Amino acid sequence: MALGHDMLFLSDADIAGVGVAPQVLAQSIDDMLRAKAAGAAVTKPKLGIYPKPGTFFQAMAGALADPPYAAVKWTGVVHDNDRRGLPHVSPLILLNDRATGLPLALLDGKWITTHRTAALTVVGAKYLARKDSASMGFIACGVQARSHLHAFRAQFSIKRVVAYSRRRATADAFAAEVRAQGLDVEVVEDPRRAVEGLDIVISSVPESPGLKPYLDPAWLSPGTYAGIIDVGRCWSLGDQPVFDVVATDDHEQSATMVKSGRLKYTRPFEADLADLAAKKHPGRTTARERTALIFSGLALSDVAVAGAIYDTAKTRGIGTVLPL
């Protein structure tokens, strides 16, 4: 490949075949967050277009000094694509060389979006979860539940899983996979049972017209870490404080989403992930604190993970070279 003459295309299958370990992804995110805190990374809030309920398009962009990459991700989200036999989320990532601005690679973004989200939540857990956390509750049991279990098992000794989904069949399918991994798993009909009495709770409820909050943060037991990766759409996030520490992945992005009404948590965040990674905030300080990460979407995480995958794929000769 010659810079300025060729670029690499990596399909979803190519990217899955690269085999980047979850620990490597988490480390790339942690490194990116420290760079962001030090001013060595640039990003802006995502641009969103919402043509009708349940359908939207978003552009996310960012640039890192080290590794020297910039990227933009363009994503289409359609909530009822399952009836078409198609994925809900359809992202593409264009990766550029930061020094010259030239394109390096075009990457299918499905695997990256799924696994970079889990890596962000795991990095949040590094600072906000109890180190002895061993049980997880899942609200929604789709691809994000699978990626989060995979990522958390690489960092925590997870032994027990509780699964809830609005569709019982979805929870049963997830539970079968969890059981095959040798873990104790229970499928529940009451969402409270997938929140209460657990060390880690992950909510990944997709956007859909008419969805109303049905989770009460007060159900969380002392010491729980909640990874709220669905911008809190299924939680009743009122004005009364329940959490001892609430972090976001990016202050500016979350402020923009609060202003637009897409993020319902209106209290101040104690920290964002860059503050935690740079030790500007202590994170969890006692075993009984209820902590949460409310995810809003950080473009720099896509840059970091896409860069790591591109480096490995190029070394291993994976992908298709396209002429420019």
Side-chain angles (χ1 to χ4, degrees):
M1 279 179 48
L3 183 64
H5 296 276
D6 306 293
M7 67 184 300
L8 189 66
F9 173 70
L10 293 169
S11 69
D12 195 54
D14 290 333
I15 292 167
V18 169
V20 179
Q23 296 93 329
V24 173
L25 296 183
Q27 188 60 57
S28 71
I29 294 291
D30 218 0
D31 292 343
M32 172 274 292
L33 292 167
R34 284 194 293 272
K36 180 175 180 284
V42 181
T43 189
K44 289 291 183 182
K46 65 184 75 170
L47 169 67
I49 300 171
Y50 305 89
K52 65 178 183 178
T55 298
F56 62 91
F57 299 89
Q58 290 181 336
M60 303 170 65
L64 292 167
D66 183 21
Y69 296 130
V72 61
K73 181 170 76 171
W74 175 248
T75 305
V77 179
V78 179
H79 84 280
D80 61 351
N81 261 357
D82 53 349
R83 64 184 176 84
R84 302 180 177 93
L86 298 171
H88 293 98
V89 182
S90 305
L92 280 174
I93 298 171
L94 178 63
L95 185 72
N96 291 70
D97 176 57
R98 185 178 181 273
T100 64
L102 292 167
L104 298 171
L106 182 67
L107 303 91
D108 186 294
K110 290 190 292 293
W111 192 98
I112 292 172
T113 299
T114 298
H115 290 273
R116 69 83 153 112
T117 304
L120 279 165
T121 315
V122 162
V123 171
K126 175 181 176 181
Y127 304 106
L128 294 172
R130 298 190 338 266
K131 306 303 180 189
D132 63 348
S133 294
S135 61
M136 294 185 73
F138 289 91
I139 303 296
C141 298
V143 293
Q144 285 295 346
R146 290 167 171 81
S147 68
H148 276 73
L149 181 61
H150 180 63
F152 273 82
R153 289 197 70 195
Q155 306 285 354
F156 293 85
S157 297
I158 303 300
K159 297 180 174 61
R160 176 173 173 253
V161 169
V162 181
Y164 169 81
S165 178
R166 288 178 291 170
R167 297 178 183 177
R168 174 69 188 236
T170 303
D172 285 339
F174 175 59
E177 295 177 22
V178 175
R179 199 171 290 114
Q181 297 176 41
L183 301 180
D184 177 33
V185 59
E186 178 184 7
V187 176
V188 297
E189 300 282 354
D190 180 357
R192 181 168 184 164
R193 293 179 59 195
V195 171
E196 198 170 51
L198 297 164
D199 301 325
I200 296 166
V201 173
I202 304 295
S203 69
S204 57
V205 175
E207 185 169 356
S208 62
L211 177 68
K212 297 193 181 302
Y214 56 89
L215 300 180
D216 187 343
W219 296 344
L220 293 163
S221 299
T224 298
Y225 165 67
I228 301 174
I229 64 167
D230 48 20
V231 300
R233 63 175 61 97
C234 60
W235 294 85
S236 297
L237 299 172
D239 294 331
Q240 296 301 314
V242 174
F243 298 103
D244 297 285
V245 180
V246 181
T248 182
D249 45 348
D250 182 72
H251 283 301
E252 187 178 8
Q253 176 63 65
S254 290
T256 300
M257 294 182 72
V258 168
K259 186 176 180 180
S260 72
R262 297 198 68 239
L263 179 57
K264 304 301 183 183
Y265 186 78
T266 57
R267 295 178 59 81
F269 290 99
E270 279 77 22
D272 71 5
L273 288 179
D275 297 326
L276 296 171
K279 309 298 185 186
K280 295 179 180 179
H281 186 282
R284 174 181 290 275
T285 56
T286 74
R288 290 184 60 80
E289 286 180 323
R290 292 181 180 91
T291 62
L293 169 66
I294 299 181
F295 181 91
S296 60
L298 177 58
L300 289 169
S301 61
D302 295 297
V303 183
V305 171
I309 288 171
Y310 168 73
D311 288 340
T312 306
K314 191 169 65 168
T315 299
R316 296 181 182 176
I318 295 173
T320 303
V321 177
L322 302 176
L324 290 173

